[in-house]
Amino acid sequence: MPKDPAALERVFSACKQFDAMLLAGNGALTLGDGLEQALLRMELCEHYAKILFIARSLGQVAALDGADVAKLLEARKKAGLGPKK
């Protein structure tokens, strides 16, 4: 966690909106109703990072369209890992 009080306050504020974040110089932080949910969210972050890394190494990465994003968010919600927003 950041040592600077202002940066720490920004992290606490972001925790009200987001359940996963990347902290510069500190790594990833995930939150959940319990340890298992936070761990599953961390695994999702790691899986996404691996996919993005491999995709970028193969060439240009295209963004998903809104319908595909909606399907993924719905699947995430059904798994009990839905976003706070």
Side-chain angles (χ1 to χ4, degrees):
M1 294 295 285
K3 292 185 179 22
D4 174 45
L8 194 56
E9 183 57 40
R10 288 191 300 273
V11 170
F12 287 144
S13 178
C15 288
K16 296 173 188 169
Q17 285 187 301
F18 305 102
D19 53 37
M21 58 196 84
L22 186 59
L23 305 176
N26 290 282
L29 171 67
T30 57
L31 308 168
D33 292 334
L35 184 59
E36 183 177 5
Q37 188 179 54
L39 177 61
L40 289 171
R41 286 182 173 148
M42 182 62 73
E43 288 178 348
L44 282 173
C45 288
E46 291 173 352
H47 187 67
Y48 172 73
K50 183 177 180 180
I51 289 170
L52 187 58
F53 175 78
I54 292 169
R56 285 183 173 168
S57 72
L58 295 173
Q60 187 174 354
V61 177
L64 296 174
D65 65 37
D68 289 333
V69 171
K71 285 184 205 176
L72 291 171
L73 289 176
E74 184 60 31
R76 182 178 179 215
K77 184 177 179 181
K78 284 181 182 177
L81 302 172
K84 290 184 176 184
K85 290 173 79 172

